[in-house]
Amino acid sequence: MRLLFLGDMVGKTGRTAVWDRLPGLISDLKLDFVIVNGENAAGGFGITEEIYLETINAGADVVTTGNHVWDQKDAVAFAGRHDQFLRPANYPAGTPGRGSGLFYARNGARVLVANIMGRVFMHPELDDPFKSGEAILAACPLKEQADAIVFDFHAEATSEKQCFGHFVDGRASLVVGTHTHVPTADHQILNGGTAYMSDAGMCGDYDSSLGMDKEEPLNRFISKMPKGRFEAASGPATICGVGVEISDSTGLAEKIAPLRLGPRLTETIPDFWR
């Protein structure tokens, strides 16, 4: 199975780049399943129902989020209406929406996708992500109820992301980090067969500070005083993510490689899909 995960869409330039390129990627690379993190798609803060639907219409099978999931006021209302929209699973019981779900890929495979948020340097501090991950795996084990399992681990600390990867190694197909908006160079297959990458990067303007117009963040570092609001950068976007080839027999990863398309960063498409 060929699975593509795209990192956090940031602002209009990021989301429109994904919408424009994703249909072609699905066709050209013969993708079976696509996951997109959309938590910064609305002006850099949260996601609206309209943006969510446009992302699904472009070909995403699931849209994940993170700590900005509720930044847009209508998110609480629409979260429960759409099964393909995920908020972090370790929110307290009774939180609107869902944190994981079982979906069908284009090749008929059953794909469990879970969105979990880390706790180190993160706000709000949610329930234990390791306990949450364990409960999700116990309810839907790999090669029993699911043919593939993917965790979007939305976190700040690389150590927490790495430890979660090792925690589920051999029990999940892919653990990919989001939130820090910078693609890491540590894509690998762990000892037990789980593909791992600390951060997929963002889909947005890299002539920026994490996808935001760089002037206000720079001002705050220098002067310690705000002059205005953070605004999403509006220059040409680079799409960043990770591609994984998953064994149909074991549900574990066979190949992993980054995907980067656009200006600023060196373009790359997983060689095994060319």
Side-chain angles (χ1 to χ4, degrees):
M1 180 173 70
R2 292 181 172 185
L3 184 146
L4 179 67
F5 183 98
L6 296 182
D8 314 42
M9 295 189 296
V10 182
K12 183 177 181 180
T13 189
R15 67 180 188 254
T16 54
V18 170
W19 297 344
D20 289 345
R21 297 295 298 269
L22 187 53
L25 288 172
I26 293 171
S27 175
D28 294 344
L29 302 180
K30 297 179 173 60
L31 299 176
D32 297 305
F33 201 82
V34 177
I35 304 165
V36 179
N37 186 294
E39 75 141 7
N40 300 115
F45 299 95
I47 184 170
T48 65
E49 187 171 25
E50 181 181 1
I51 292 172
Y52 159 77
L53 291 172
E54 286 282 358
T55 307
I56 293 295
N57 290 338
D61 295 286
V62 178
V63 175
T64 55
T65 55
N67 58 303
H68 289 289
V69 60
W70 310 125
D71 283 7
Q72 299 297 317
K73 61 183 180 180
D74 67 334
V76 173
F78 80 77
R81 293 200 294 265
H82 301 290
D83 290 344
Q84 293 163 275
F85 179 81
L86 299 182
R87 46 82 174 161
N90 49 332
Y91 265 99
T95 302
R98 61 200 306 222
S100 63
L102 191 65
F103 309 93
Y104 284 92
R106 292 168 185 82
N107 65 345
R110 302 163 299 173
V111 184
L112 174 66
V113 182
N115 192 184
I116 292 184
M117 198 165 98
R119 296 202 292 187
V120 180
F121 308 129
M122 295 293 287
H123 180 79
E125 186 173 312
L126 303 185
D127 297 340
D128 186 342
F130 293 85
K131 287 184 178 179
S132 179
E134 185 64 43
I136 289 167
L137 291 173
C140 191
L142 186 64
K143 298 313 296 178
E144 292 183 24
Q145 280 80 35
D147 299 306
I149 296 176
V150 179
F151 284 96
D152 174 348
F153 197 81
H154 196 81
E156 182 75 29
T158 304
S159 59
E160 188 179 23
K161 295 178 181 182
Q162 290 178 335
C163 283
F164 187 85
H166 292 302
F167 180 66
V168 302
D169 187 19
R171 301 187 290 162
S173 311
L174 169 67
V175 173
V176 57
T178 55
H179 179 66
T180 57
H181 292 198
V182 178
T184 56
D186 63 340
H187 53 280
Q188 61 182 295
I189 297 177
L190 303 178
N191 293 338
T194 297
Y196 174 84
M197 188 175 186
S198 290
D199 203 285
M202 69 173 179
C203 298
D205 178 6
Y206 277 81
D207 183 18
S208 67
S209 175
L210 306 182
M212 309 306 288
D213 185 274
K214 57 196 174 190
E215 295 306 321
E216 181 57 19
L218 182 59
N219 162 67
R220 295 190 191 188
F221 277 117
I222 294 171
S223 72
K224 312 303 179 186
M225 294 289 292
K227 287 185 178 178
R229 299 176 58 190
F230 282 6
E231 302 285 348
S234 58
T238 297
I239 295 173
C240 284
V242 61
V244 182
E245 196 150 287
I246 299 169
S247 168
D248 293 333
S249 60
T250 67
L252 297 173
E254 295 181 326
K255 299 174 182 177
I256 179 173
L259 180 141
R260 294 167 195 159
L261 296 172
R264 296 281 168 179
L265 306 185
T266 301
E267 289 202 354
T268 178
I269 294 177
D271 289 339
F272 49 89
W273 287 350
R274 290 186 185 273

